[in-house]
Amino acid sequence: MVASKVAQRREARIASIVEAAWSLAHEQGIQVFSLRDLATEVGVQQPSLYTYFDSKNALYDAMFADGNQQLLETLDSVDLPDDAEAALKVCLRVVADFAVEDPERYSLLFSRVIPGFEPSAESYAVAQEVLGHVVVAADAAGVTNQGDIDCLVAVTAGLIDSQMSNEPGGDRWLQHLDRMIDLLVDDATNRSVR
Amino acid sequence: MVASKVAQRREARIASIVEAAWSLAHEQGIQVFSLRDLATEVGVQQPSLYTYFDSKNALYDAMFADGNQQLLETLDSVDLPDDAEAALKVCLRVVADFAVEDPERYSLLFSRVIPGFEPSAESYAVAQEVLGHVVVAADAAGVTNQGDIDCLVAVTAGLIDSQMSNEPGGDRWLQHLDRMIDLLVDDATNRSVR
DNA sequence: ATCATTACCTATCACTGATAGGAAGTCAAG
DNA sequence: CTTGACTTCCTATCAGTGATAGGTAATGAT
């Protein structure tokens, strides 16, 4: 069952709109770019966007899925070292770099800056897939307990968030990422063997 | 130099507006409550609010200072145990409870959810005073290195944020707060004596 | 009692996301 | 090739937002 010509065209159009939306988000901010500006960028009138998205939040949902897909591909493209803990470090470092690289994307994916926006089940599934990568890496490094994984994720997120909020572009907080991972992994493995 | 009658009345009026704003923020969300609704709540027409605040962001600034002042008073009112590490734990637990207690306040104080809002120097100073409390407690517990303090703060923030984002009202993440503090304090002290 | 200041009003602005309803274009079946 | 359904896009318009202009009444210090 091939995608019909119409469906293909529609899909491509949606992708181009999402791309233009990212561009505007970078220029003006993810929360404040207007659908009129987006329509202009795409060469169309504002109400025409509603042919593709039921609401601005539906557009955000597509961007959310797209952003997580980007992260997924980034994670897949990196080749991990054999040592499991080193691999975990690389994995989380990739996430941190991905976040720092694009603050607006970070806002949409990891902060709750859009009032009323909740990712759809489909988009959320992509985000879960990303989390799955981290869980696999943590598991391989001996961090199998759910609570320990939660801490690992939360600590990484905390460092990323502090970094971006207080010193965007610097490394005052993220320089400690590897050490924090060491601490957590050691603690987790120690407690699991006792 | 006593405050003039006019200044007193004005100050009280501002306080009552800020209070009403918090109330609306709780009902509708910190980002989306409208100045018209706020004006109605206060018994006034919307443009009249501009007598007290130059913009909605100026109102947010007053709320930001007010919220940090609340946290400051909460921290001051708690009496800490003699043991320095225990005191640090209590201190950070109080911050966590304060955050969880009021998500909208948390959003304004610790997330960046209001586009274009930057706290004024005066309001930021109150936030710095809060941070000062934590730094003092950390210092007493032997966490004197700036990097270690940064980690302590970031980790606490990470746990709070994960908790509120993923399981508001629960304790899946915050149950690990004390253990994380233990880890960080131990690591910090160990590295400082080597 | 006067008068400047403060507080509040009405009217209106530009802009936002969203909806209604119609016209043109596109594609596939007969 | 023509027909007819579907898709895409348009104009016009809506209610709601933060913000500004300009005028009026209340207030308090002199």
Side-chain angles (χ1 to χ4, degrees), chain B residues 130-151:
Chain B
V130 169
L131 184 59
H133 266 65
V134 175
V135 171
V136 166
D139 216 74
V143 181
T144 56
N145 187 290
Q146 180 65 62
D148 291 325
I149 295 177
D150 286 347
C151 288

Side-chain angles (χ1 to χ4, degrees), chain B residues 37-75:
Chain B
D37 282 355
L38 176 58
T40 300
E41 194 88 357
V42 178
V44 100
Q45 294 295 318
Q46 176 250 353
S48 300
L49 293 176
Y50 284 79
T51 304
Y52 302 100
F53 303 100
D54 286 343
S55 65
K56 196 182 186 185
N57 274 1
L59 169 64
Y60 282 133
D61 193 56
M63 297 173 79
F64 179 87
D66 182 55
N68 276 291
Q69 195 64 47
Q70 291 173 26
L71 177 50
L72 208 53
E73 284 161 19
T74 307
L75 282 170

Side-chain angles (χ1 to χ4, degrees), chain A residues 10 13 44-45 47-48 51-52:
Chain A
R10 184 181 176 83
R13 194 90 174 106
V44 98
Q45 293 297 317
S48 300
T51 305
Y52 302 101

Side-chain angles (χ1 to χ4, degrees), chain A residues 15-187:
Chain A
S16 78
I17 294 175
V18 167
E19 191 179 2
W22 280 124
S23 169
L24 273 181
H26 295 144
E27 289 171 24
Q28 309 181 5
I30 187 84
Q31 316 169 66
V32 300
F33 77 88
S34 75
L35 294 183
R36 276 171 179 81
D37 282 355
L38 177 57
T40 301
E41 194 88 357
V42 177
V44 98
Q45 293 297 317
Q46 176 252 351
S48 300
L49 292 176
Y50 284 79
T51 305
Y52 302 101
F53 304 99
D54 286 343
S55 65
K56 198 181 183 184
N57 275 0
L59 169 65
Y60 282 133
D61 193 58
M63 296 173 79
F64 180 89
D66 182 55
N68 277 291
Q69 196 64 47
Q70 291 173 28
L71 177 50
L72 209 53
E73 284 161 19
T74 307
L75 282 170
D76 280 329
S77 74
V78 84
D79 51 9
L80 301 170
D82 291 336
D83 179 62
E85 186 171 341
L88 176 60
K89 283 178 184 168
V90 169
C91 181
L92 291 177
R93 178 66 64 178
V94 165
V95 173
D97 289 345
F98 180 85
V100 166
E101 182 182 294
D102 186 341
E104 299 302 324
R105 185 179 57 188
Y106 170 79
S107 290
L108 180 61
L109 268 56
F110 302 116
S111 306
R112 315 220 129 186
V113 296
I114 313 291
F117 169 65
E118 287 282 334
S120 64
E122 289 142 9
S123 300
Y124 192 70
V126 187
Q128 285 299 109
E129 211 171 331
V130 168
L131 184 59
H133 265 66
V134 175
V135 171
V136 167
D139 217 75
V143 181
T144 55
N145 187 290
Q146 180 65 60
D148 291 326
I149 295 177
D150 286 348
C151 287
L152 199 60
V153 172
V155 165
T156 305
L159 288 173
I160 293 173
D161 205 74
S162 292
Q163 186 62 63
M164 299 187 71
S165 297
N166 302 307
E167 194 204 49
D171 77 328
R172 176 172 156 186
W173 278 268
L174 282 177
Q175 66 177 323
H176 302 114
L177 180 55
D178 281 5
R179 186 163 56 84
M180 289 296 106
I181 298 173
D182 269 331
L183 270 183
L184 292 173
V185 170
D186 287 354
D187 179 60

Side-chain angles (χ1 to χ4, degrees), chain B residues 31-175:
Chain B
Q31 315 168 68
V32 299
F33 78 87
S34 75
L35 294 183
R36 278 172 178 79
D37 282 355
L38 176 58
T40 300
E41 194 88 357
V42 178
V44 100
Q45 294 295 318
Q46 176 250 353
S48 300
L49 293 176
Y50 284 79
T51 304
Y52 302 100
F53 303 100
D54 286 343
S55 65
K56 196 182 186 185
N57 274 1
L59 169 64
Y60 282 133
D61 193 56
M63 297 173 79
F64 179 87
D66 182 55
N68 276 291
Q69 195 64 47
Q70 291 173 26
L71 177 50
L72 208 53
E73 284 161 19
T74 307
L75 282 170
D76 280 330
S77 76
V78 85
D79 52 8
L80 301 169
D82 290 335
D83 179 63
E85 184 170 343
L88 176 60
K89 283 178 184 168
V90 169
C91 180
L92 291 177
R93 177 66 63 176
V94 165
V95 173
D97 288 344
F98 180 86
V100 166
E101 182 182 294
D102 187 340
E104 298 303 324
R105 184 179 58 188
Y106 169 78
S107 289
L108 180 61
L109 268 57
F110 303 117
S111 305
R112 314 221 130 185
V113 296
I114 312 293
F117 169 65
E118 288 282 332
S120 64
E122 289 142 10
S123 300
Y124 191 69
V126 186
Q128 285 300 107
E129 211 172 331
V130 169
L131 184 59
H133 266 65
V134 175
V135 171
V136 166
D139 216 74
V143 181
T144 56
N145 187 290
Q146 180 65 62
D148 291 325
I149 295 177
D150 286 347
C151 288
L152 200 59
V153 172
V155 165
T156 304
L159 288 174
I160 292 173
D161 205 74
S162 293
Q163 186 63 63
M164 300 186 69
S165 297
N166 301 308
E167 193 205 48
D171 78 327
R172 175 172 158 187
W173 278 267
L174 282 178
Q175 66 178 322

